[in-house]
Amino acid sequence: MPASRILQSLALLAALSQAAESQIRVPVTVDTLPNGLTLIIHEDHSVPVVTTNVWYHVGSGDEKVGRTGFAHLFEHLMFMGSENAPYPQFDRLLEAAGANNNGSTNTDRTNYYESGPASALPLMLWLEADRLGWMLETMDAPKVDLQRDVVKNERRQSYENQPYGLAFENLTKAIYPGGHPYSWSTIGSMADLSAASLEDVKEFFRTYYTPNNATIVVAGAVKADSVRRVARQMFGEIPRGPAIERPKPAAFTLRDTVIVLEDRVQLPRVYLAWHTVPEYSRDDAALDIAAYILSGARNSRLTQALVYDRPLATNANAFNSSKRLDGDFMVMATARPGVHLDTLQAVVDAEMRKLAAAPPTARELEQAKNAIEASFLNSLEFVSAKADRLNNYYYATGTPDYFQKDLDRYLAVTAADVQRVVRQYLLTNRVTLSVVPQGKTELAATRRIAQ
């Protein structure tokens, strides 16, 4: 072989080797206990800390019509004490060990997490096992009533008494047809929360808080063999629960809808919302990049057109919200004093038409990808963030170490992809919601701009 060919081959091998080494890898082991509990372990000995991240595969999307808010209510009840760790021992024991904990609920899952020194891991797992296996018997009406009132107060603070706080609840109700799992808010309605009985709550627990509906990620300065042994001791005797039938919403077409909501606000705000695609499906990444090009940076199109080039709005934001079963895309802008929402709507429509008529520039696309990649990589500095992603990837794709594939789908998006998704999803029927000061309905967006 000529020397030049040999050198070319060596260069190619070196490049391939370098590319392979630069791949993101988060090595894990995945085990399933006989009762169906999935245990994912990631060893990271960079710092002597550990995090446990438990996902119960139940969110507000699994609730029944007329019984909304249960998944979030349960997030609160899970901290009310169990048979061997009565309230408030869960928090006190962890704090004494130098650890912290919290939980969150969304449409698709409820999660609970603890972080602290590696020495606290047995305590973390024991507390999680005790409330999974030995909490139901301690559940009583006073606990439910107490947390029901806490959740109702949270709803008042974050929804009813928060400026623009009811916007998203009204939007989701308009985007998704009645009965769709995403047509109600995670916080639930006051009426449904009031109607929840102790037996309703217990039945929800028996159905969804079972080992076979849970995945535990343990990440940090641990040894996998030791974690497996302790986890089997803690969780092994908790019985498997019933099989769960997941909701399967029917396909639907969004109707053009205009809504006006009067609120105790100073400035009117317009929300535009479209029906899109589920997470990790084709076009999900391109829609995320489209959102960034519209409002992700100071020089983004909507930010420039509405906030800086002309002082029309105090802010402008676009975001793609893809979930396990479905997705939606929203644009929101708050008018400056004296600016009508029709003006904001016209500017948004004009920018959408521009992006549909011509693809984004190479510079815009590169900026969006760089920002998304930087944010993605920065999040991996924290073991707690890695643990949550491992759970997310496992539930959504079946592959906990989906990190590189997730990043690759963004890096593979082309300018033509962005142009296509804007044409396909964002120039179609939508929900237009105007939030205006009480008694000022004349400030609402009144017309749909021709496309």
Side-chain angles (χ1 to χ4, degrees), residues 220-232:
V222 297
K223 292 291 186 183
D225 288 344
S226 174
V227 175
R228 283 190 210 98
R229 184 174 62 256
V230 174
R232 288 187 182 117

Side-chain angles (χ1 to χ4, degrees), residues 1 7 43 71 82 104 150 213 218 220 227 247 268 306 355 388 434 451:
M1 179 182 294
L7 289 175
E43 290 193 34
S82 49
S104 70
V150 171
N213 195 41
V218 177
V227 175
L306 289 168
L355 198 48
D388 200 53
S434 299
Q451 295 168 358

Side-chain angles (χ1 to χ4, degrees), residues 405-421:
K405 289 181 178 177
D406 190 13
L407 182 58
D408 285 346
R409 67 194 183 104
Y410 288 97
L411 300 180
V413 170
T414 66
D417 290 332
V418 176
Q419 181 186 19
R420 178 179 54 75
V421 297

Side-chain angles (χ1 to χ4, degrees), residues 14-30:
L16 290 172
S17 175
Q18 187 175 9
E21 290 175 359
S22 65
Q23 296 280 302
I24 300 170
R25 290 195 179 88
V26 181
V28 298
T29 62
V30 181

Side-chain angles (χ1 to χ4, degrees), residues 108-421:
D108 300 320
R109 61 96 182 108
T110 309
N111 85 330
Y112 303 90
Y113 47 92
E114 294 84 31
S115 294
S119 59
L121 178 63
L123 173 64
M124 296 174 183
L125 292 176
W126 178 75
L127 288 168
E128 288 291 2
D130 202 60
R131 62 181 176 179
L132 173 59
W134 293 273
M135 189 196 81
L136 187 60
E137 289 71 17
T138 70
M139 185 61 56
D140 56 25
K143 287 183 178 179
V144 174
D145 289 341
L146 175 62
Q147 289 308 314
R148 186 207 318 268
D149 288 343
V150 171
V151 172
K152 282 183 172 180
N153 198 42
E154 185 178 333
R155 181 183 164 86
R156 293 185 190 97
Q157 290 181 331
S158 302
Y159 290 74
E160 278 124 6
N161 296 330
Q162 178 81 16
Y164 312 103
L166 292 171
F168 286 99
E169 189 169 68
N170 280 271
L171 281 166
T172 53
K173 194 182 298 182
I175 296 170
Y176 297 101
H180 189 289
Y182 298 156
S183 62
W184 54 82
S185 62
T186 300
I187 195 76
S189 73
M190 282 292 193
D192 289 353
L193 289 169
S194 297
S197 68
L198 176 61
E199 186 50 39
D200 287 336
V201 171
K202 288 189 172 183
E203 183 58 29
F204 192 84
F205 185 92
R206 293 188 196 100
T207 304
Y208 295 108
Y209 278 73
T210 62
N212 45 305
N213 195 41
T215 304
I216 299 180
V217 173
V218 177
V222 297
K223 292 291 186 183
D225 288 344
S226 174
V227 175
R228 283 190 210 98
R229 184 174 62 256
V230 174
R232 288 187 182 117
Q233 284 178 337
M234 305 290 186
F235 292 91
E237 62 181 287
I238 302 172
R240 174 188 289 269
I244 297 172
E245 187 174 344
R246 303 278 175 200
K248 296 177 182 175
F252 69 94
T253 301
L254 181 65
R255 292 186 302 175
D256 232 11
T257 306
V258 177
I259 306 170
V260 180
L261 179 65
E262 296 181 60
D263 196 3
R264 286 170 290 178
V265 297
Q266 294 293 316
L267 297 171
R269 178 182 290 175
V270 65
Y271 297 79
L272 307 174
W274 296 264
H275 179 219
T276 56
V277 295
E279 62 184 1
Y280 301 105
S281 61
R282 182 177 181 265
D283 296 341
D284 175 35
L287 285 162
D288 281 342
I289 288 182
Y292 186 91
I293 289 170
L294 288 169
S295 75
R298 186 185 175 95
N299 63 346
S300 297
R301 296 189 179 203
L302 289 179
T303 310
Q304 280 293 307
L306 289 168
V307 180
Y308 293 111
D309 289 349
R310 297 167 61 196
L312 299 175
T314 61
N315 56 51
N317 293 290
F319 47 92
N320 178 44
S321 179
S322 50
K323 299 169 271 284
R324 194 171 65 86
L325 300 173
D326 225 318
D328 46 78
F329 189 103
M330 294 190 190
V331 170
M332 53 172 278
T334 308
R336 287 184 179 276
V339 178
H340 198 278
L341 291 182
D342 274 345
T343 304
L344 304 190
Q345 186 177 213
V347 172
V348 173
D349 283 336
E351 293 301 325
M352 289 293 190
R353 287 198 300 271
K354 287 180 189 174
L355 198 48
T361 66
R363 183 182 178 84
E364 284 179 308
L365 189 62
E366 183 182 12
Q367 181 184 9
K369 289 184 178 180
N370 286 345
I372 289 171
E373 183 174 12
S375 175
F376 183 89
L377 296 176
N378 286 340
S379 73
L380 300 187
E381 293 179 7
F382 304 98
V383 70
S384 57
K386 281 193 292 185
D388 200 53
R389 279 186 182 267
L390 286 165
N391 242 329
N392 183 308
Y393 290 146
Y394 183 74
Y395 190 33
T397 72
T399 304
D401 184 11
Y402 198 75
F403 293 84
Q404 187 63 50
K405 289 181 178 177
D406 190 13
L407 182 58
D408 285 346
R409 67 194 183 104
Y410 288 97
L411 300 180
V413 170
T414 66
D417 290 332
V418 176
Q419 181 186 19
R420 178 179 54 75
V421 297

